[in-house]
Amino acid sequence: MSKATNSPKKPSSQRKDVVRAEKLQAGYGTKSVCGVASFSLQSGQALALVGPNGAGKSTVVKTVVGQLEAVSGTALIHGAKVDDRTLDFRREVAVVFDDDAFFPALTVEEHLAIVSAGHGVEDVEEVIASELEFFGLKALATSRPYNLSSGQRRRMLLASAFVRPRSLLVLDEPEQRLDTAMRHRLATRLRAEVDAGLALLVVTHDPEFLTTVATKALFIADTVHPMTPAQAAAAIASENPHAE
């Protein structure tokens, strides 16, 4: 059996839904935090979730990937009910949320080594070196996360998603704590990977990032409705006229 690479998996000639949400209500217990969401995401598509602060975007995403129970409705990944404990899920889905999850005793390089080797990636050292270079962490490879700045830790967590194979990448405000140049580089790379077959589900508050990356968008609030990327970027800009 050949080992995995850290590239996004290419879609088959017959497109199928990577994610499908049907009448999904996200929330806590029996209390929903936003309107009912129904959407699909296929290989080669990037769906951006937008909406006001506190509208429930992150809650929807966490429900889709099984970190929260749905109040009602269903979410399927590759046609199966979501269970983030299964090997199939962990093989296919890479997730980065807006939190700092790391092992205090491990260096940046050791974190990436565990993730890549654990997913059967070939040429682990080469893959890690490439991501350290891309995310500007080469000089910090032997540093421990608690010695890094908030932005540097964010880049380390993002790098951990790129050193492993994935057919679905889920990112919660990946632009946060990144400088303008890194935001642009990340957006450009993500769009290239989407064009190569990755399915991307992303929460963002950055209009420029959104229009670079997204192929479609979903507005999350008391009601949920689809938007074009241009419409979603305009909605973000109107909410925050100083947005980049």
Side-chain angles (χ1 to χ4, degrees), residues 101-104 106-116 145 156 160:
F102 55 81
F103 297 101
L106 299 184
T107 67
V108 171
E109 192 171 30
E110 288 167 344
H111 272 85
L112 301 184
I114 286 176
V115 174
S116 54
M156 182 194 76
S160 71

Side-chain angles (χ1 to χ4, degrees), residues 99-108 111 144-149 153-154 156-157 177:
D99 49 25
D100 286 341
F102 55 81
F103 297 101
L106 299 184
T107 67
V108 171
H111 272 85
R144 287 175 172 78
Y146 56 77
N147 289 324
L148 304 179
S149 70
R153 285 196 300 272
R154 185 65 165 167
M156 182 194 76
L157 294 175
R177 295 178 276 161

Side-chain angles (χ1 to χ4, degrees), residues 210-223:
L210 185 151
T211 53
T212 300
V213 171
T215 62
K216 56 184 182 177
L218 195 68
F219 186 83
I220 305 292
D222 291 339
T223 59

Side-chain angles (χ1 to χ4, degrees), residues 50-188:
V50 302
N53 286 327
K57 302 180 294 298
S58 297
T59 307
V60 170
V61 172
K62 288 181 178 179
T63 305
V64 168
V65 299
Q67 292 193 8
L68 293 172
E69 289 287 337
V71 175
S72 62
T74 59
L76 303 177
I77 294 181
H78 290 297
K81 186 176 179 181
V82 177
D83 185 347
D84 62 3
R85 301 167 297 179
T86 64
L87 179 61
D88 284 345
F89 180 93
R90 289 182 281 120
R91 182 185 292 129
E92 299 287 343
V93 184
V95 177
V96 180
F97 285 108
D98 190 22
D99 49 25
D100 286 341
F102 55 81
F103 297 101
L106 299 184
T107 67
V108 171
E109 192 171 30
E110 288 167 344
H111 272 85
L112 301 184
I114 286 176
V115 174
S116 54
H119 285 87
V121 173
E122 292 181 330
D123 303 320
V124 168
E125 291 184 2
E126 181 180 339
V127 168
I128 291 172
S130 176
E131 298 306 333
L132 289 172
E133 181 72 29
F134 179 86
F135 284 101
L137 296 170
K138 189 175 181 180
L140 300 168
T142 59
S143 298
R144 287 175 172 78
Y146 56 77
N147 289 324
L148 304 179
S149 70
S150 175
Q152 289 165 343
R153 285 196 300 272
R154 185 65 165 167
R155 282 183 270 145
M156 182 194 76
L157 294 175
L158 288 167
S160 71
F162 285 93
V163 296
R164 51 153 295 178
R166 59 217 172 265
S167 62
L168 171 63
L169 179 59
V170 180
L171 302 175
D172 187 5
E173 299 186 41
E175 74 278 4
Q176 293 298 312
R177 295 178 276 161
L178 301 182
D179 60 40
T180 300
M182 179 54 69
R183 287 187 184 196
H184 177 73
R185 290 186 67 203
L186 178 62
T188 301

